[in-house]
Amino acid sequence: INQARISKAWVNFNGTGTVAIRSSYNVSSITDNGTGDYSVVFSTAMSDANYCTNISAGDKANVWGINVFDGTSTYTTSLCRFHTIDPSDTNHDQPIVGVQVFGN
C-alpha cells in the first residue's frame, strides 16, 4: 500500500453549540475558536505541514451548504485551523463538518 494514498486523519463533527466529534481517526480533539472557526488537533502529528485537506460543511435543513473560507487557515504538523461560512460570507457554525487529511 502506498502510504501517501491513505487518509492520515479524518473527522466528522457537529460544529454547533458544544462541538461534538461523531467519529474520527487520528484526531484527538476539535477546538472551537469562535463562530465558524475550528481547529482539528491530530493525535499523531503529520510529518510536515504540506498536507492536503478536504473540508466540507453544511446544514441539511437549508439549501446552502458547503462553504469553507481559507483566507486565514492554518496548517501545522499538529493541527489544521479553518473557518466555515454561510452564503453571505459570514462565519457560521455548521452542524455537519467533515475533514479529511492526506499527506506523507
Side-chain angles (χ1 to χ4, degrees), residues 91-102:
N91 280 11
H92 185 85
D93 287 344
Q94 303 283 2
I96 302 170
V97 183
V99 179
Q100 297 172 324
V101 179
F102 293 91

Side-chain angles (χ1 to χ4, degrees), residues 48-96:
D48 58 50
N50 296 318
Y51 50 84
C52 175
T53 60
N54 177 20
I55 303 169
S56 62
D59 183 344
K60 290 193 282 188
N62 295 303
V63 175
W64 57 272
I66 303 170
N67 293 289
V68 178
F69 176 69
D70 195 28
T72 58
S73 296
T74 303
Y75 290 33
T76 70
T77 57
S78 60
L79 67 83
C80 169
R81 183 174 179 176
F82 60 93
H83 294 155
T84 59
I85 59 174
D86 63 21
S88 66
D89 289 337
T90 303
N91 280 11
H92 185 85
D93 287 344
Q94 303 283 2
I96 302 170

